[in-house]
Amino acid sequence: MTNEKILRKLESFDPELCGQLRQALKQQRTTLSLIPTTNAASPFASFLKGSTLGDEVIDHHKAHRQSRLEKLAAERAQELFGAEHAIVRIGSLAIASRVVMLALLKKGDTVLSFNLRKSEHCTGDLQYNFVKFGVEPDTLQLNFSKVQELAHKHRPAMIIYSPVNYPRNIEYVELRKIADEVGAYLWIDLGQNSGLIAAGKIPSPVPYADVATFAASDALHGPQNGIILCKEKIAGLLDRTVIETGHSSLKKNVLASLALSFKEADCMEYQDYAQQVLDNARGLENGLLGAGCKLLCSPTENHLVLVQLPEGCDGEEIAEKLKSAGLLVKAEKLMTAEDNLDYPILRLSSLDSATRCLQAEEMEDVGRILGTFLNSPQDEAAIQSVSKFIKKLVEDLPLFAEDWLPEMEAFDDGDAEMSIRAMIHWNI
């Protein structure tokens, strides 16, 4: 049964659900997302996730055993990031984070965390004493001497760095030194920088961290799963915790999708994509600056751009107005080392724009339009101006540009061609 026939039958059988599908497709086609966690999955990864591999039964009595697909995905993750060990069978980043805490911490332990990251996952028995470190209010950079002072004062069992709101690279070796001085584990969450790290475009924290985590979606264009990378010395402890907390395995379709995502990220086309992400972020920055906006932690060194909201502006209200105009943004606060001092911002990302093959010059125009809106009365006329611009910009763009799909050599193998036809016939 072809996709077209399936959709027609689905529309006849369940028009309400099909309407939701049409609405989602329309929204994605007619909007541009600058939200870091919004990015299209690779067509290859999507195909495998929707394949008949998902119909195979998981034997939960053999939870400790890895399937061939799980081993393949884990090996590719290790190779891609230069890790000693990888765990790929976890369904989300939030779950992966809880596994790390359960494995490496005990109740009541002190955790020194950048902007209190990961404390949001602490419910139930996950009760720890979180101490914050952050960027200095005047420089908006990390002062490692102050981080060192905090570490020696509080003697944390773990130090966490997760730069989801920080567009600059840091010296990971400094965090490693501080962790060693106080005998703490160092956990670094890669966030949406995972793709840039995999492509070698920004420094990798993996060699310095005891444990690193990230989502396979977002930058890596894979399924929405959590990945744990770790040193061999704690691999057994983390593996046991994964099993003891009920994560027997993922379905083979998801494991295949993960393995494919890691292979794609090791291709030259992904290198080009990662460079476009960096170029687009700088283009977006230039446009915002040209419109008179104030940027924080600038210039960007990754996919993030932080624009400070004008005084008196409500971030959530601005986000809703821009959403109605087809531009998706995330309103946040940039925390600092001072408890009572933070900055209202829009946290913007170039990931999705690069996936859709927009260029840096076009992102500069996006930044200029967005900046003009932020510095305007933000009335209906301003909303319509943004809407007209976005509609013209994205109306002919794909959700995932074929430019990023690896080019394969044509093959002349009759058996392989017959196999492909058979898979198409049986809708794998």
Side-chain angles (χ1 to χ4, degrees):
M1 189 183 297
T2 64
N3 284 342
E4 182 180 357
K5 191 172 183 179
I6 289 173
L7 284 172
R8 291 188 182 280
K9 286 184 174 290
L10 175 62
E11 187 167 27
S12 176
F13 175 71
D14 195 336
E16 182 180 1
L17 186 58
C18 205
Q20 294 286 329
L21 181 62
R22 282 196 303 271
Q23 183 179 349
L25 178 59
K26 180 181 179 182
Q27 181 186 26
Q28 291 179 39
R29 290 296 299 271
T30 58
T31 60
L32 175 65
S33 177
L34 302 180
I35 297 176
T37 53
T38 304
N39 203 9
S42 156
F44 290 162
S46 295
F47 175 83
L48 287 168
K49 189 175 179 182
S51 73
T52 52
L53 286 169
D55 297 335
E56 297 198 22
V57 175
I58 295 176
D59 188 346
H60 296 282
H61 298 288
K62 299 178 181 178
H64 62 288
R65 297 185 185 180
Q66 286 187 326
S67 67
R68 290 176 61 186
L69 277 173
E70 184 175 354
K71 289 179 181 178
L72 179 63
E75 288 168 0
R76 288 181 176 179
Q78 286 175 233
E79 183 176 356
L80 182 64
F81 289 94
E84 295 178 11
H85 186 72
I87 299 172
V88 300
R89 61 164 62 187
I90 300 175
S92 73
L93 180 58
I95 295 172
S97 299
R98 293 186 179 100
V99 165
V100 171
M101 288 186 277
L102 284 168
L104 303 182
L105 297 173
K106 62 181 183 294
K107 189 174 181 178
D109 275 349
T110 295
V111 177
L112 183 60
S113 174
F114 182 67
N115 292 343
L116 300 179
R117 291 289 295 142
K118 303 301 179 181
S119 61
E120 67 272 21
H121 300 308
C122 293
T123 57
D125 291 333
L126 299 177
Q127 297 178 20
Y128 312 111
N129 174 35
F130 272 79
V131 177
K132 183 183 75 172
F133 72 96
V135 296
E136 295 302 307
D138 51 348
T139 65
L140 295 183
Q141 294 183 9
L142 278 177
N143 183 324
F144 286 106
S145 294
K146 291 191 175 181
V147 177
Q148 184 182 42
E149 288 177 13
L150 284 171
H152 281 271
K153 177 181 178 180
H154 296 281
R155 311 299 295 187
M158 177 179 284
I159 297 174
I160 300 175
Y161 181 69
S162 178
V164 293
N165 271 16
Y166 195 55
R168 305 300 299 273
N169 299 325
I170 71 162
E171 295 291 336
Y172 295 109
V173 65
E174 296 298 327
L175 286 180
R176 178 71 268 168
K177 288 178 182 177
I178 294 170
D180 289 341
E181 287 173 4
V182 297
Y185 289 112
L186 178 58
W187 172 14
I188 297 179
D189 187 275
L190 310 186
Q192 289 80 43
N193 286 333
S194 59
L196 296 174
I197 291 168
K201 298 295 182 179
I202 62 175
S204 173
V206 174
Y208 305 100
D210 294 299
V211 61
T213 52
F214 60 93
S217 52
D218 307 330
L220 288 171
H221 298 141
Q224 294 182 354
N225 291 87
I227 308 299
I228 299 175
L229 308 176
C230 68
K231 299 295 187 185
E232 189 61 42
K233 64 182 179 182
I234 57 173
L237 182 57
L238 283 161
D239 282 334
R240 286 196 300 275
T241 304
V242 169
I243 299 300
E244 290 168 0
T245 51
H247 303 287
S248 55
S249 186
L250 296 174
K251 286 278 192 177
K252 289 185 177 181
N253 59 324
V254 179
L255 291 168
S257 183
L258 281 172
L260 184 281
S261 298
F262 298 139
K263 184 176 179 66
E264 278 189 313
D266 202 27
C267 293
M268 184 57 67
E269 290 80 3
Y270 192 85
Q271 298 277 328
D272 295 339
Y273 166 74
Q275 185 60 52
Q276 193 65 59
V277 168
L278 292 175
D279 294 345
N280 283 9
R282 293 170 188 143
L284 180 61
E285 256 194 347
N286 290 337
L288 287 162
L289 287 171
C293 290
K294 182 176 181 180
L295 302 183
L296 303 183
C297 307
S298 180
T300 179
E301 294 178 324
N302 54 41
H303 68 103
L304 282 175
V305 174
L306 309 184
V307 55
Q308 185 173 354
L309 292 174
E311 188 174 351
C313 286
D314 183 297
E316 295 296 337
E317 184 178 338
I318 286 175
E320 283 300 315
K321 288 181 177 180
L322 287 170
K323 181 178 180 180
S324 70
L327 186 61
L328 305 182
V329 299
K330 179 70 171 176
E332 293 272 4
K333 287 186 181 296
L334 175 64
M335 299 174 68
T336 72
E338 297 290 336
D339 287 338
N340 299 320
L341 180 58
D342 50 34
Y343 297 94
I345 60 170
L346 294 183
R347 178 166 66 108
L348 311 174
S349 170
S350 59
L351 288 174
D352 185 59
S353 69
T355 300
R356 302 185 73 175
C357 230
L358 284 171
Q359 302 300 299
E361 297 80 7
E362 293 168 304
M363 289 305 292
E364 188 168 343
D365 291 337
V366 171
R368 192 174 298 110
I369 288 291
L370 173 56
T372 300
F373 177 82
L374 293 177
N375 291 320
S376 76
Q378 298 153 21
D379 54 17
E380 188 60 33
I383 295 173
Q384 288 304 315
S385 178
V386 175
S387 178
K388 183 178 179 180
F389 169 81
I390 294 296
K391 182 179 180 180
K392 183 178 180 180
L393 181 68
V394 304
E395 59 185 355
D396 295 322
L397 292 180
L399 295 180
F400 191 102
E402 291 188 14
D403 305 57
W404 314 130
L405 295 177
E407 292 290 339
M408 303 299 178
E409 294 184 7
F411 58 86
D412 186 19
D413 186 328
D415 290 339
E417 180 63 26
M418 288 298 294
S419 177
I420 289 173
R421 290 177 181 174
M423 286 191 288
I424 293 173
H425 177 73
W426 289 108
N427 298 299
I428 185 172

PDB file of all heavy atoms in Angstrom, residues 104 112 133 157-161 172-177 179-180 183-188 205 208-212 234:
ATOM      1  N   LEU A 104      25.190   7.789  40.063  1.00  0.00           N
ATOM      2  CA  LEU A 104      26.411   8.417  40.572  1.00  0.00           C
ATOM      3  C   LEU A 104      26.232   9.218  41.852  1.00  0.00           C
ATOM      4  O   LEU A 104      27.225   9.636  42.453  1.00  0.00           O
ATOM      5  CB  LEU A 104      27.004   9.321  39.489  1.00  0.00           C
ATOM      6  CG  LEU A 104      27.324   8.644  38.149  1.00  0.00           C
ATOM      7  CD1 LEU A 104      27.938   9.656  37.192  1.00  0.00           C
ATOM      8  CD2 LEU A 104      28.237   7.449  38.340  1.00  0.00           C
ATOM      9  N   LEU A 112      27.081  20.877  42.236  1.00  0.00           N
ATOM     10  CA  LEU A 112      27.410  22.224  41.757  1.00  0.00           C
ATOM     11  C   LEU A 112      27.042  22.292  40.285  1.00  0.00           C
ATOM     12  O   LEU A 112      27.638  21.600  39.461  1.00  0.00           O
ATOM     13  CB  LEU A 112      28.900  22.513  41.957  1.00  0.00           C
ATOM     14  CG  LEU A 112      29.406  23.908  41.575  1.00  0.00           C
ATOM     15  CD1 LEU A 112      28.704  24.988  42.385  1.00  0.00           C
ATOM     16  CD2 LEU A 112      30.927  23.985  41.746  1.00  0.00           C
ATOM     17  N   PHE A 133      26.352  27.800  39.944  1.00  0.00           N
ATOM     18  CA  PHE A 133      27.387  28.694  39.445  1.00  0.00           C
ATOM     19  C   PHE A 133      26.925  29.201  38.083  1.00  0.00           C
ATOM     20  O   PHE A 133      26.081  28.578  37.431  1.00  0.00           O
ATOM     21  CB  PHE A 133      28.772  28.022  39.369  1.00  0.00           C
ATOM     22  CG  PHE A 133      28.942  26.989  38.280  1.00  0.00           C
ATOM     23  CD1 PHE A 133      29.507  27.334  37.055  1.00  0.00           C
ATOM     24  CD2 PHE A 133      28.585  25.655  38.480  1.00  0.00           C
ATOM     25  CE1 PHE A 133      29.702  26.384  36.059  1.00  0.00           C
ATOM     26  CE2 PHE A 133      28.776  24.706  37.493  1.00  0.00           C
ATOM     27  CZ  PHE A 133      29.331  25.069  36.273  1.00  0.00           C
ATOM     28  N   ALA A 157      29.584  16.371  45.148  1.00  0.00           N
ATOM     29  CA  ALA A 157      29.836  15.025  44.624  1.00  0.00           C
ATOM     30  C   ALA A 157      29.838  15.030  43.098  1.00  0.00           C
ATOM     31  O   ALA A 157      30.376  14.113  42.477  1.00  0.00           O
ATOM     32  CB  ALA A 157      28.777  14.062  45.143  1.00  0.00           C
ATOM     33  N   MET A 158      29.212  16.066  42.533  1.00  0.00           N
ATOM     34  CA  MET A 158      29.134  16.152  41.072  1.00  0.00           C
ATOM     35  C   MET A 158      29.117  17.619  40.647  1.00  0.00           C
ATOM     36  O   MET A 158      28.551  18.475  41.331  1.00  0.00           O
ATOM     37  CB  MET A 158      27.865  15.459  40.559  1.00  0.00           C
ATOM     38  CG  MET A 158      27.641  15.545  39.050  1.00  0.00           C
ATOM     39  SD  MET A 158      26.127  14.675  38.555  1.00  0.00           S
ATOM     40  CE  MET A 158      26.679  12.962  38.673  1.00  0.00           C
ATOM     41  N   ILE A 159      29.771  17.898  39.523  1.00  0.00           N
ATOM     42  CA  ILE A 159      29.705  19.205  38.880  1.00  0.00           C
ATOM     43  C   ILE A 159      29.030  19.021  37.530  1.00  0.00           C
ATOM     44  O   ILE A 159      29.401  18.125  36.762  1.00  0.00           O
ATOM     45  CB  ILE A 159      31.109  19.818  38.694  1.00  0.00           C
ATOM     46  CG1 ILE A 159      31.760  20.058  40.056  1.00  0.00           C
ATOM     47  CG2 ILE A 159      31.028  21.120  37.903  1.00  0.00           C
ATOM     48  CD1 ILE A 159      33.204  20.536  39.973  1.00  0.00           C
ATOM     49  N   ILE A 160      28.014  19.854  37.252  1.00  0.00           N
ATOM     50  CA  ILE A 160      27.248  19.744  36.007  1.00  0.00           C
ATOM     51  C   ILE A 160      27.422  21.017  35.191  1.00  0.00           C
ATOM     52  O   ILE A 160      27.267  22.125  35.705  1.00  0.00           O
ATOM     53  CB  ILE A 160      25.747  19.523  36.290  1.00  0.00           C
ATOM     54  CG1 ILE A 160      25.520  18.244  37.092  1.00  0.00           C
ATOM     55  CG2 ILE A 160      24.960  19.474  34.970  1.00  0.00           C
ATOM     56  CD1 ILE A 160      24.066  18.038  37.501  1.00  0.00           C
ATOM     57  N   TYR A 161      27.727  20.824  33.924  1.00  0.00           N
ATOM     58  CA  TYR A 161      27.757  21.962  32.993  1.00  0.00           C
ATOM     59  C   TYR A 161      26.859  21.631  31.809  1.00  0.00           C
ATOM     60  O   TYR A 161      27.063  20.629  31.125  1.00  0.00           O
ATOM     61  CB  TYR A 161      29.177  22.259  32.507  1.00  0.00           C
ATOM     62  CG  TYR A 161      29.238  23.440  31.553  1.00  0.00           C
ATOM     63  CD1 TYR A 161      28.995  24.733  32.010  1.00  0.00           C
ATOM     64  CD2 TYR A 161      29.506  23.257  30.203  1.00  0.00           C
ATOM     65  CE1 TYR A 161      29.030  25.819  31.147  1.00  0.00           C
ATOM     66  CE2 TYR A 161      29.546  24.330  29.330  1.00  0.00           C
ATOM     67  CZ  TYR A 161      29.313  25.611  29.806  1.00  0.00           C
ATOM     68  OH  TYR A 161      29.343  26.680  28.947  1.00  0.00           O
ATOM     69  N   TYR A 172      37.030  23.288  28.826  1.00  0.00           N
ATOM     70  CA  TYR A 172      36.538  22.159  29.627  1.00  0.00           C
ATOM     71  C   TYR A 172      37.602  21.609  30.564  1.00  0.00           C
ATOM     72  O   TYR A 172      37.286  21.048  31.617  1.00  0.00           O
ATOM     73  CB  TYR A 172      36.022  21.055  28.710  1.00  0.00           C
ATOM     74  CG  TYR A 172      34.820  21.454  27.893  1.00  0.00           C
ATOM     75  CD1 TYR A 172      34.918  21.659  26.522  1.00  0.00           C
ATOM     76  CD2 TYR A 172      33.579  21.636  28.492  1.00  0.00           C
ATOM     77  CE1 TYR A 172      33.822  22.036  25.761  1.00  0.00           C
ATOM     78  CE2 TYR A 172      32.469  22.017  27.755  1.00  0.00           C
ATOM     79  CZ  TYR A 172      32.598  22.208  26.378  1.00  0.00           C
ATOM     80  OH  TYR A 172      31.510  22.584  25.635  1.00  0.00           O
ATOM     81  N   VAL A 173      38.859  21.765  30.172  1.00  0.00           N
ATOM     82  CA  VAL A 173      39.931  21.259  31.013  1.00  0.00           C
ATOM     83  C   VAL A 173      39.925  21.939  32.378  1.00  0.00           C
ATOM     84  O   VAL A 173      40.311  21.324  33.399  1.00  0.00           O
ATOM     85  CB  VAL A 173      41.312  21.451  30.320  1.00  0.00           C
ATOM     86  CG1 VAL A 173      41.655  22.927  30.154  1.00  0.00           C
ATOM     87  CG2 VAL A 173      42.403  20.712  31.066  1.00  0.00           C
ATOM     88  N   GLU A 174      39.451  23.199  32.448  1.00  0.00           N
ATOM     89  CA  GLU A 174      39.377  23.906  33.727  1.00  0.00           C
ATOM     90  C   GLU A 174      38.348  23.263  34.650  1.00  0.00           C
ATOM     91  O   GLU A 174      38.580  23.121  35.856  1.00  0.00           O
ATOM     92  CB  GLU A 174      39.042  25.381  33.493  1.00  0.00           C
ATOM     93  CG  GLU A 174      40.096  26.157  32.730  1.00  0.00           C
ATOM     94  CD  GLU A 174      41.420  26.205  33.462  1.00  0.00           C
ATOM     95  OE1 GLU A 174      41.410  26.238  34.715  1.00  0.00           O
ATOM     96  OE2 GLU A 174      42.469  26.206  32.790  1.00  0.00           O
ATOM     97  N   LEU A 175      37.205  22.879  34.092  1.00  0.00           N
ATOM     98  CA  LEU A 175      36.193  22.183  34.905  1.00  0.00           C
ATOM     99  C   LEU A 175      36.711  20.823  35.361  1.00  0.00           C
ATOM    100  O   LEU A 175      36.430  20.375  36.474  1.00  0.00           O
ATOM    101  CB  LEU A 175      34.899  22.023  34.114  1.00  0.00           C
ATOM    102  CG  LEU A 175      34.028  23.269  33.919  1.00  0.00           C
ATOM    103  CD1 LEU A 175      32.778  22.920  33.118  1.00  0.00           C
ATOM    104  CD2 LEU A 175      33.634  23.879  35.264  1.00  0.00           C
ATOM    105  N   ARG A 176      37.481  20.157  34.496  1.00  0.00           N
ATOM    106  CA  ARG A 176      38.048  18.857  34.844  1.00  0.00           C
ATOM    107  C   ARG A 176      39.003  19.000  36.028  1.00  0.00           C
ATOM    108  O   ARG A 176      38.990  18.183  36.963  1.00  0.00           O
ATOM    109  CB  ARG A 176      38.777  18.291  33.639  1.00  0.00           C
ATOM    110  CG  ARG A 176      39.480  16.944  33.837  1.00  0.00           C
ATOM    111  CD  ARG A 176      38.499  15.800  33.965  1.00  0.00           C
ATOM    112  NE  ARG A 176      38.122  15.509  35.332  1.00  0.00           N
ATOM    113  CZ  ARG A 176      37.105  14.713  35.659  1.00  0.00           C
ATOM    114  NH1 ARG A 176      36.360  14.159  34.725  1.00  0.00           N
ATOM    115  NH2 ARG A 176      36.831  14.479  36.921  1.00  0.00           N
ATOM    116  N   LYS A 177      39.823  20.035  36.003  1.00  0.00           N
ATOM    117  CA  LYS A 177      40.773  20.262  37.094  1.00  0.00           C
ATOM    118  C   LYS A 177      40.035  20.507  38.406  1.00  0.00           C
ATOM    119  O   LYS A 177      40.410  19.971  39.458  1.00  0.00           O
ATOM    120  CB  LYS A 177      41.658  21.460  36.770  1.00  0.00           C
ATOM    121  CG  LYS A 177      42.678  21.213  35.669  1.00  0.00           C
ATOM    122  CD  LYS A 177      43.472  22.481  35.392  1.00  0.00           C
ATOM    123  CE  LYS A 177      44.467  22.279  34.252  1.00  0.00           C
ATOM    124  NZ  LYS A 177      45.191  23.550  33.943  1.00  0.00           N
ATOM    125  N   ALA A 179      36.971  19.586  39.225  1.00  0.00           N
ATOM    126  CA  ALA A 179      36.313  18.346  39.656  1.00  0.00           C
ATOM    127  C   ALA A 179      37.321  17.406  40.319  1.00  0.00           C
ATOM    128  O   ALA A 179      37.023  16.783  41.349  1.00  0.00           O
ATOM    129  CB  ALA A 179      35.646  17.666  38.461  1.00  0.00           C
ATOM    130  N   ASP A 180      38.508  17.296  39.746  1.00  0.00           N
ATOM    131  CA  ASP A 180      39.539  16.422  40.329  1.00  0.00           C
ATOM    132  C   ASP A 180      39.987  16.920  41.694  1.00  0.00           C
ATOM    133  O   ASP A 180      40.268  16.125  42.603  1.00  0.00           O
ATOM    134  CB  ASP A 180      40.740  16.328  39.388  1.00  0.00           C
ATOM    135  CG  ASP A 180      40.439  15.513  38.138  1.00  0.00           C
ATOM    136  OD1 ASP A 180      39.463  14.738  38.153  1.00  0.00           O
ATOM    137  OD2 ASP A 180      41.164  15.674  37.131  1.00  0.00           O
ATOM    138  N   GLY A 183      37.267  15.860  44.092  1.00  0.00           N
ATOM    139  CA  GLY A 183      36.809  14.472  43.989  1.00  0.00           C
ATOM    140  C   GLY A 183      35.389  14.327  43.483  1.00  0.00           C
ATOM    141  O   GLY A 183      34.647  13.435  43.928  1.00  0.00           O
ATOM    142  N   ALA A 184      34.987  15.199  42.543  1.00  0.00           N
ATOM    143  CA  ALA A 184      33.615  15.177  42.025  1.00  0.00           C
ATOM    144  C   ALA A 184      33.558  14.560  40.634  1.00  0.00           C
ATOM    145  O   ALA A 184      34.532  14.650  39.864  1.00  0.00           O
ATOM    146  CB  ALA A 184      33.056  16.599  41.969  1.00  0.00           C
ATOM    147  N   TYR A 185      32.440  13.956  40.342  1.00  0.00           N
ATOM    148  CA  TYR A 185      32.179  13.565  38.956  1.00  0.00           C
ATOM    149  C   TYR A 185      31.934  14.829  38.138  1.00  0.00           C
ATOM    150  O   TYR A 185      31.340  15.795  38.626  1.00  0.00           O
ATOM    151  CB  TYR A 185      30.931  12.684  38.861  1.00  0.00           C
ATOM    152  CG  TYR A 185      31.080  11.289  39.425  1.00  0.00           C
ATOM    153  CD1 TYR A 185      30.373  10.920  40.581  1.00  0.00           C
ATOM    154  CD2 TYR A 185      31.891  10.343  38.808  1.00  0.00           C
ATOM    155  CE1 TYR A 185      30.487   9.630  41.099  1.00  0.00           C
ATOM    156  CE2 TYR A 185      32.004   9.053  39.324  1.00  0.00           C
ATOM    157  CZ  TYR A 185      31.304   8.708  40.468  1.00  0.00           C
ATOM    158  OH  TYR A 185      31.420   7.444  40.985  1.00  0.00           O
ATOM    159  N   LEU A 186      32.359  14.799  36.877  1.00  0.00           N
ATOM    160  CA  LEU A 186      32.057  15.901  35.956  1.00  0.00           C
ATOM    161  C   LEU A 186      31.083  15.399  34.899  1.00  0.00           C
ATOM    162  O   LEU A 186      31.405  14.500  34.126  1.00  0.00           O
ATOM    163  CB  LEU A 186      33.329  16.421  35.283  1.00  0.00           C
ATOM    164  CG  LEU A 186      33.125  17.552  34.257  1.00  0.00           C
ATOM    165  CD1 LEU A 186      32.436  18.761  34.899  1.00  0.00           C
ATOM    166  CD2 LEU A 186      34.450  17.949  33.615  1.00  0.00           C
ATOM    167  N   TRP A 187      29.882  15.994  34.901  1.00  0.00           N
ATOM    168  CA  TRP A 187      28.833  15.632  33.942  1.00  0.00           C
ATOM    169  C   TRP A 187      28.583  16.833  33.043  1.00  0.00           C
ATOM    170  O   TRP A 187      28.274  17.926  33.522  1.00  0.00           O
ATOM    171  CB  TRP A 187      27.562  15.244  34.705  1.00  0.00           C
ATOM    172  CG  TRP A 187      26.341  15.026  33.861  1.00  0.00           C
ATOM    173  CD1 TRP A 187      26.256  14.876  32.511  1.00  0.00           C
ATOM    174  CD2 TRP A 187      24.988  14.918  34.350  1.00  0.00           C
ATOM    175  NE1 TRP A 187      24.961  14.682  32.123  1.00  0.00           N
ATOM    176  CE2 TRP A 187      24.156  14.707  33.226  1.00  0.00           C
ATOM    177  CE3 TRP A 187      24.426  14.987  35.619  1.00  0.00           C
ATOM    178  CZ2 TRP A 187      22.779  14.563  33.344  1.00  0.00           C
ATOM    179  CZ3 TRP A 187      23.048  14.840  35.736  1.00  0.00           C
ATOM    180  CH2 TRP A 187      22.246  14.617  34.612  1.00  0.00           C
ATOM    181  N   ILE A 188      28.741  16.625  31.753  1.00  0.00           N
ATOM    182  CA  ILE A 188      28.487  17.693  30.788  1.00  0.00           C
ATOM    183  C   ILE A 188      27.385  17.254  29.838  1.00  0.00           C
ATOM    184  O   ILE A 188      27.493  16.207  29.190  1.00  0.00           O
ATOM    185  CB  ILE A 188      29.762  18.061  30.001  1.00  0.00           C
ATOM    186  CG1 ILE A 188      30.809  18.602  30.973  1.00  0.00           C
ATOM    187  CG2 ILE A 188      29.447  19.101  28.921  1.00  0.00           C
ATOM    188  CD1 ILE A 188      32.120  18.977  30.344  1.00  0.00           C
ATOM    189  N   PRO A 205      33.680  18.281  24.828  1.00  0.00           N
ATOM    190  CA  PRO A 205      33.921  18.054  26.250  1.00  0.00           C
ATOM    191  C   PRO A 205      34.088  16.582  26.605  1.00  0.00           C
ATOM    192  O   PRO A 205      34.449  16.253  27.735  1.00  0.00           O
ATOM    193  CB  PRO A 205      32.654  18.613  26.897  1.00  0.00           C
ATOM    194  CG  PRO A 205      31.589  18.333  25.881  1.00  0.00           C
ATOM    195  CD  PRO A 205      32.244  18.475  24.539  1.00  0.00           C
ATOM    196  N   TYR A 208      36.992  15.127  28.578  1.00  0.00           N
ATOM    197  CA  TYR A 208      37.184  15.653  29.927  1.00  0.00           C
ATOM    198  C   TYR A 208      36.095  15.212  30.898  1.00  0.00           C
ATOM    199  O   TYR A 208      36.294  15.268  32.108  1.00  0.00           O
ATOM    200  CB  TYR A 208      37.218  17.183  29.886  1.00  0.00           C
ATOM    201  CG  TYR A 208      38.251  17.718  28.928  1.00  0.00           C
ATOM    202  CD1 TYR A 208      37.883  18.167  27.658  1.00  0.00           C
ATOM    203  CD2 TYR A 208      39.598  17.747  29.264  1.00  0.00           C
ATOM    204  CE1 TYR A 208      38.833  18.640  26.765  1.00  0.00           C
ATOM    205  CE2 TYR A 208      40.558  18.213  28.377  1.00  0.00           C
ATOM    206  CZ  TYR A 208      40.165  18.661  27.124  1.00  0.00           C
ATOM    207  OH  TYR A 208      41.099  19.116  26.240  1.00  0.00           O
ATOM    208  N   ALA A 209      34.949  14.808  30.396  1.00  0.00           N
ATOM    209  CA  ALA A 209      33.800  14.501  31.250  1.00  0.00           C
ATOM    210  C   ALA A 209      33.792  13.039  31.670  1.00  0.00           C
ATOM    211  O   ALA A 209      34.166  12.149  30.898  1.00  0.00           O
ATOM    212  CB  ALA A 209      32.508  14.829  30.514  1.00  0.00           C
ATOM    213  N   ASP A 210      33.365  12.802  32.917  1.00  0.00           N
ATOM    214  CA  ASP A 210      33.114  11.421  33.333  1.00  0.00           C
ATOM    215  C   ASP A 210      31.896  10.884  32.602  1.00  0.00           C
ATOM    216  O   ASP A 210      31.839   9.715  32.230  1.00  0.00           O
ATOM    217  CB  ASP A 210      32.876  11.362  34.843  1.00  0.00           C
ATOM    218  CG  ASP A 210      34.116  11.729  35.639  1.00  0.00           C
ATOM    219  OD1 ASP A 210      35.136  11.022  35.496  1.00  0.00           O
ATOM    220  OD2 ASP A 210      34.085  12.731  36.376  1.00  0.00           O
ATOM    221  N   VAL A 211      30.908  11.758  32.418  1.00  0.00           N
ATOM    222  CA  VAL A 211      29.690  11.375  31.716  1.00  0.00           C
ATOM    223  C   VAL A 211      29.195  12.558  30.890  1.00  0.00           C
ATOM    224  O   VAL A 211      29.312  13.714  31.307  1.00  0.00           O
ATOM    225  CB  VAL A 211      28.600  10.893  32.715  1.00  0.00           C
ATOM    226  CG1 VAL A 211      28.241  11.993  33.687  1.00  0.00           C
ATOM    227  CG2 VAL A 211      27.367  10.389  31.996  1.00  0.00           C
ATOM    228  N   ALA A 212      28.703  12.258  29.696  1.00  0.00           N
ATOM    229  CA  ALA A 212      28.128  13.280  28.821  1.00  0.00           C
ATOM    230  C   ALA A 212      26.795  12.756  28.309  1.00  0.00           C
ATOM    231  O   ALA A 212      26.638  11.559  28.070  1.00  0.00           O
ATOM    232  CB  ALA A 212      29.059  13.582  27.647  1.00  0.00           C
ATOM    233  N   ILE A 234      33.152   3.858  34.913  1.00  0.00           N
ATOM    234  CA  ILE A 234      31.806   3.908  35.497  1.00  0.00           C
ATOM    235  C   ILE A 234      30.763   3.293  34.566  1.00  0.00           C
ATOM    236  O   ILE A 234      29.568   3.378  34.829  1.00  0.00           O
ATOM    237  CB  ILE A 234      31.394   5.351  35.860  1.00  0.00           C
ATOM    238  CG1 ILE A 234      31.465   6.273  34.638  1.00  0.00           C
ATOM    239  CG2 ILE A 234      32.240   5.889  36.999  1.00  0.00           C
ATOM    240  CD1 ILE A 234      30.917   7.661  34.892  1.00  0.00           C
TER     241      ILE A 234
END
